Every structure is written in C-alpha cells, then in structure tokens.
Amino acid sequence: MTVLVTGGAGYIGSHAALALLDAGRKVVVLDNLSQGHRWAVPAGAAFVEGDCGDYELVRKLVADHDVTAIMHFAGSIIVPESVVYPLDYYYNNTVNSRALAQAAVDAGIRHFIFSSTAGVYGEPAKTPILEDFPSKPISPYGTSKMMTEKMLADASVAHDMNYVALRYFNVAGADPEGRAGQTSRKATHLIKIASQAATGVRSHLEIYGEDYETPDGTCIRDYIHVSDLANAHVLALEYLENGGESDVMNCGYGRGFSVKEVISAVKEVSGVDFPVKLAERRPGDPAALIAGADRVREKLGWVPKHDDLEMIVRHALDWEESLKTRQVVDAA
Ligand SMILES: NC(=O)c1ccc[n+]([C@@H]2O[C@H](COP(=O)([O-])OP(=O)(O)OC[C@H]3O[C@@H](n4cnc5c(N)ncnc54)[C@H](O)[C@@H]3O)[C@@H](O)[C@H]2O)c1
Ligand SMILES: O=c1ccn([C@@H]2O[C@H](COP(=O)(O)OP(=O)(O)O[C@H]3O[C@H](CO)[C@H](O)[C@H](O)[C@H]3O)[C@@H](O)[C@H]2O)c(=O)[nH]1
C-alpha cells in the first residue's frame, strides 16, 4: 500500500511526499534528479533514481514496494523553454507519461493523480476559469500536459484505473515547518525570483510588461500555497480510493494578485526595497488567470489553510534564507 511519487525530489512532489507521510502513507519517490535534489526527498520516503518513462524500472519498483497508486509530478516545466525545445517537452511530458501510464495499467495500479496546469486553457475568454472551458494551450508545455490528460481519460475508460488531473494555477511558498521549498536550478516563478531579490541572491527583479488590461497594468495570477496544493493531492487519492469518478480539477483559491501587488507584498514582508525594473512583455503571458475553484472544494472537501499572500511570501522568504546555509543557491 505504497504511493509512487514521480518527481518527488522536486518542488511540488517533495511537498506531496511530506503530506502523504504526514497522513501516515508509505511513499516511494522516483526521480531522475535532472532538476530535483536527492536531499529534497523526505527522510521517511524510499528513493529510486531513474526515469519515469522507464517501463521496466517502474514495473519493478511497483512490485518491490507494493505500489497501489501513482502521483505523477515528474516533468519539464518552463513554458518559454518549451517553445524553443518543443520535442523535448513532448518527450518528457507526454511520451514518458504514456510509458508510465502503460506500466501502471499493466501492473494493475487503480489510482493515478496527474500534475496538470492552468496552461491547458491558453488565453481564456474570461475569468474565473472553469474546468469545462475549452483546452486551447498556447505553448508546447500546455499541449504536452493536455495530451497526457487525454491519454489518462481514455485509459481510465478502457482499464480499471481512475484518475484525477489537478490543474495547478501559480504554485508558491514553502512548507511552513521549513522541511521543503523551491530549489529549482532555473527559477522563473515570480515569488521565487522576488524572494531571491529580497535575500540578495539576485540583484533586481524585472516586471514583464505594465500595459496589460488590468487595474495596475500588470498580469494577475491566482497564487496557491504549495502545502495546500500538496494536501489536495492527499484528498484526491482518498477520493479515488473511495471510488470517485475520474475528473479534472482546478487548484487555486479563486482570487488573484497583480505582479505589482506581489512585489509590494515581498518588499513589505521582507523589509527590503530591492530594485525593480520595467521590461518588455514576456511572450505568451495572459493578462489574468484566476481559477474557478469550487470543484476541488466540493468534490474533495478541500479546505485551504494558507490562503494569504503575506503567509505565502513569508514561507518563500524563510526557505530562501535557509537555502543559503545549504549552499545550494543557484547562480542568478
Ligand atoms: N511549479 C508550478 O507552478 C507548476 C504549475 C503547474 C503545473 N506544474 C507541474 O507540477 C509538476 C511538478 O513541478 P515542480 O514545480 O515541482 O517542478 P520541479 O522541476 O521542481 O520538479 C520536477 C521533478 O521531476 C524530475 N523529473 C523531470 N523529468 C523526469 C523524468 N523523466 N523522470 C524522473 N524524474 C523526472 C525532476 O528532476 C524534478 O525533481 C510538473 O509536472 C509541472 O509541470 C507546476
Ligand atoms: O521575473 C518575473 C517573473 C514573472 N513575472 C510575471 O509574473 C507573472 C507570473 O509569472 P510566473 O512565471 O510566476 O508564472 P506563470 O503564470 O507564467 O506560470 C504558471 O502557469 C504556467 C502555465 O500558464 C505554468 O503552469 C507555470 O508552471 C506556472 O507557474 C507573469 O505575469 C510574469 O510575466 C515578472 O513580471 N517577472
């Protein structure tokens, strides 16, 4: 009765592994360490270094560890990079997910939880975004995730395996107890970058455009605390184990903050007035992405504990400071 967590040496997967362990579950992490860190895997979890697309390896570790469910976080996550290297993204996010799903079906795994993204919606016509809005991704990253969602939908009809695809909005923050946080080698996320600027890891922050059709001209996003998101995964697993039907669910709080509001919060909480420069728009940034977030609450009984921008920022800053002592801060 073990949960296989692919990508559990990475940011969100390590928090999910912690949440599973906290809930009394057994966990085995599979990660190729292309982005993650061995030390980020929680102490209570078993670890196998390898690729989630390695069918034989997955079959073996499922048998060795008595795996009954899979949470699939492993993947490549940088939207602009996916535009430059689309085939790499289709390989890692779609082809490898197909192999993992095949191994799951062949091994009789009955429950599968998949890390999807708000990126499947592309440029939505309006916000809040509901799950039944059309999937029209505008990047290879979004398409690679949408294709995996569709594979799982078809596989769940043909085989005895139910699934939930959780479509994350903007994930941020760190474990409140300081046990985990974001340590990606190529940080691109706003709160991570602002935290690095506030703690002196970066010299400054750039705002990518202030001419959007929003109240202050900067983009609005729905920032969700990573520990609330991790908890949604534990609830999704219980839901599937209790016979819940396969579904897709947005993960956000249903409210948004602009880039300037986030920067103000980071300055306020840190007490550091780091330099901010105005830069060109970043291609592919929709003006506003806010989750319609009722389904995850209604179907999973999810009640977030950290729906507070200052708290998210506080935890991100604490983690950034702690990284200095671990000597794993990436060059900015
Ligand atoms: N961070 C976000 O805001 C966000 C938003 C939406 C969706 N997601 C999705 O959530 C998942 C986790 O994202 P994250 O932010 O934790 O990223 P991350 O890069 O911190 O973690 C991904 C982990 O997967 C591992 N990995 C990558 N390819 C692998 C492979 N083929 N086999 C085994 N391990 C592999 C990496 O080494 C890394 O540890 C991803 O699938 C991502 O697309 C993230
Ligand atoms: O240094 C920075 C970094 C970001 N931004 C802005 O801040 C907002 C948020 O940007 P992030 O990079 O933090 O997040 P995204 O909204 O681009 O990305 C999110 O949604 C994507 C799909 O749309 C992926 O799922 C991705 O992993 C997830 O974090 C955007 O308007 C971006 O332009 C800046 O102004 N400066």
Side-chain angles (χ1 to χ4, degrees), residues 179-198:
R179 298 172 296 172
Q182 190 171 14
T183 321
S184 81
R185 296 192 163 92
K186 300 178 269 189
T188 57
H189 297 118
L190 178 64
I191 290 181
K192 172 79 178 176
I193 286 179
S195 301
Q196 289 181 325

Side-chain angles (χ1 to χ4, degrees), residues 101-285:
Q102 182 80 61
V105 165
D106 292 351
I109 299 287
R110 304 218 11 242
H111 313 299
F112 198 108
I113 296 169
F114 174 57
S115 298
S116 191
T117 168
V120 300
Y121 297 111
E123 304 252 19
K126 57 181 179 174
T127 58
I129 303 165
L130 303 179
E131 286 87 350
D132 52 10
F133 281 19
S135 288
K136 289 190 195 164
I138 54 171
S139 71
Y141 169 75
T143 308
S144 71
K145 291 283 183 177
M146 182 190 75
M147 288 162 76
T148 299
E149 280 195 13
K150 293 202 184 300
M151 286 193 298
L152 290 172
D154 290 341
S156 73
V157 172
H159 305 287
D160 186 18
M161 180 177 79
N162 56 1
Y163 80 99
V164 167
L166 295 174
R167 294 175 173 166
Y168 314 159
F169 281 63
N170 287 63
V171 189
D175 176 55
E177 293 171 38
R179 298 172 296 172
Q182 190 171 14
T183 321
S184 81
R185 296 192 163 92
K186 300 178 269 189
T188 57
H189 297 118
L190 178 64
I191 290 181
K192 172 79 178 176
I193 286 179
S195 301
Q196 289 181 325
T199 53
V201 178
R202 282 176 193 264
S203 59
H204 68 283
L205 177 144
E206 292 182 337
I207 296 178
Y208 299 139
E210 58 173 3
D211 57 351
Y212 287 92
E213 284 189 25
T214 59
D216 69 14
T218 63
C219 291
I220 293 172
R221 294 290 183 270
D222 187 339
Y223 294 92
I224 176 174
H225 193 292
V226 65
S227 296
D228 279 337
L229 179 63
N231 192 38
H233 287 74
V234 177
L235 294 172
L237 178 58
E238 289 169 7
Y239 165 85
L240 291 175
E241 288 172 339
N242 289 329
E245 62 184 20
S246 296
D247 211 342
V248 298
M249 299 179 196
N250 289 338
C251 288
Y253 294 136
R255 51 97 188 103
F257 292 100
S258 73
V259 172
K260 285 186 176 171
E261 286 172 330
V262 169
I263 293 169
S264 295
V266 176
K267 288 188 173 186
E268 176 81 24
V269 174
S270 67
V272 180
D273 187 16
F274 52 84
V276 174
K277 299 177 184 171
L278 184 59
E280 293 292 303
R281 281 186 179 203
R282 196 173 64 174
D285 273 342

Side-chain angles (χ1 to χ4, degrees), residues 6-13 30-37 50-53 72-77 92-93 96 115-118 141 145 168-171 182 184 189:
T6 76
Y11 174 42
I12 305 170
L30 172 64
D31 198 298
N32 64 9
L33 302 183
S34 57
Q35 298 298 321
H37 301 274
D51 203 286
C52 67
H72 179 33
F73 297 89
S76 302
I77 70 160
N92 203 27
N93 290 351
N96 282 337
S115 298
S116 191
T117 168
Y141 169 75
K145 291 283 183 177
Y168 314 159
F169 281 63
N170 287 63
V171 189
Q182 190 171 14
S184 81
H189 297 118

